[in-house]
Amino acid sequence: MNYVPAGTLTTRTAGTIKLHGPEAFEGMRKAGRVAAACLDMVAKEAAPGVTTAELDRKIYDFVIASGGIPATIYYRGYRHSSCTSLNEVVCHGIPNDKPLRDGDIMNVDVTAIVDGWHGDTSRMYLIGDPPLKARRLVDVTYEAMMRGIAAVKPGATTGDIGHAIQAYAEAHSYSVVRDFCGHGVGRIFHDAPNILHYGRPSSGVVLREGMIFTVEPMINAGKHGVKLKSDGWTAVTKDRSLSAQFEHTVGVTATGVDIFTTSPAGLNKPPYA
Ligand code: MF3
Ligand code: CO
Ligand code: CO
């Protein structure tokens, strides 16, 4: 594995993992806070009858007012400020004009670029009063992400992260999505390394101080298979089972991990009321 000081390397170079310094951590903290505060705003707005297009507009306004730019606008042809993934949608749901319904579970994923740094985070939202089995999936997915993050420290591996997530999810008879993963992030939105949310302890890339990446497990109530809808973005569970996801952007410190996208308002997982 190649590691390089992040320095001026602003393009993705295959197999090269950037080691960031204190200025990058400061920049990422700022970008992460904007994205997280934006998700706090969504917690007040997401309710039955509201459309995801309305939420997306509010997300755009919030990020711009915070001095940022939504990273997803014009990203690989994407046109929106967020992804809004409901119920059986695994990820990359496109905001639309359908009103949210009582009982929906929804992931909102926002990436804010602030001073060139990308803060990437997502949370689940309970719309009205979802059934217990949906709320359980949401709870287990949050805990799975946090267990993955808790495995992060110098000398640990990406496989340790994936194993912690997979072991917890499968102990609850859920499955871990294979087709999407976490990623290095910084001045580049999607960079090396890939962070798989399943795996074997001690496998994969050895973590080092200065690495910055996301942990963003997608957990399905049924089987792990996904399929892509004809819009080219929306990924849904093959078996139509419910899916949930949370995402934090984190940095490896000398002794462990910094989470850049913790909620300023303490709204890290639902219920938010
Ligand atoms: N924010 C997503 C991630 O966690 C990426 C969304 S790309 C988009 O990596 F184009 F679908 F918005
Ligand atoms: Co994201
Ligand atoms: Co991400």
Side-chain angles (χ1 to χ4, degrees), residues 71-73 75-83 91-93 109-111 120-122 181-183 189-190 214 216 233 245 247:
T72 52
I73 297 186
Y75 180 78
R76 295 169 179 253
Y78 199 76
R79 298 248 152 211
H80 305 271
S81 301
S82 61
C83 297
C91 64
H92 302 164
D109 191 338
V110 173
T111 306
D120 186 5
T121 184
S122 80
C181 59
H183 49 91
F189 191 0
H190 292 113
T214 71
E216 50 177 303
W233 284 105
Q245 180 181 26
E247 175 175 24

Side-chain angles (χ1 to χ4, degrees), residues 1-4 15-20 151-162 192-196 200-213 251-254 256:
M1 186 53 57
N2 294 321
Y3 299 94
V4 298
T16 299
I17 297 171
K18 298 182 184 73
L19 302 179
H20 296 274
V152 175
K153 61 179 181 199
T157 70
T158 55
D160 293 337
I161 300 171
N194 287 335
I195 306 295
L196 305 186
R200 296 267 133 238
S202 305
S203 69
V205 171
V206 176
L207 304 180
R208 291 182 53 181
E209 181 181 359
M211 287 174 56
I212 296 176
F213 52 81
V252 184
T253 66

Side-chain angles (χ1 to χ4, degrees), residues 147-273:
R147 285 178 181 228
I149 292 171
V152 175
K153 61 179 181 199
T157 70
T158 55
D160 293 337
I161 300 171
H163 177 72
I165 292 166
Q166 181 179 19
Y168 188 73
E170 291 183 353
H172 289 82
S173 304
Y174 297 145
S175 60
V176 176
V177 169
R178 263 67 163 167
D179 301 62
F180 299 94
C181 59
H183 49 91
V185 63
R187 290 193 178 279
I188 295 176
F189 191 0
H190 292 113
D191 207 348
N194 287 335
I195 306 295
L196 305 186
H197 301 113
Y198 58 95
R200 296 267 133 238
S202 305
S203 69
V205 171
V206 176
L207 304 180
R208 291 182 53 181
E209 181 181 359
M211 287 174 56
I212 296 176
F213 52 81
T214 71
V215 179
E216 50 177 303
M218 285 138 274
I219 306 296
N220 295 349
K223 296 201 167 78
H224 69 70
V226 311
K227 61 181 185 200
L228 203 59
K229 298 236 272 187
S230 57
D231 60 25
W233 284 105
T234 310
V236 297
T237 54
K238 236 181 219 160
D239 62 9
R240 291 277 162 174
S241 65
L242 290 176
S243 187
Q245 180 181 26
F246 285 85
E247 175 175 24
H248 273 314
T249 298
V250 307
V252 184
T253 66
T255 55
V257 64
D258 254 12
I259 304 178
F260 299 129
T261 46
T262 299
S263 162
L267 308 177
N268 286 297
K269 67 161 188 162
Y272 301 124

Side-chain angles (χ1 to χ4, degrees), residues 42-71:
V42 171
K44 294 187 202 110
E45 302 293 337
V50 174
T51 74
T52 50
E54 287 162 358
L55 291 177
D56 189 69
R57 178 76 214 182
K58 290 197 161 86
I59 288 164
Y60 177 84
D61 290 343
F62 186 98
V63 172
I64 296 295
S66 307
I69 295 172

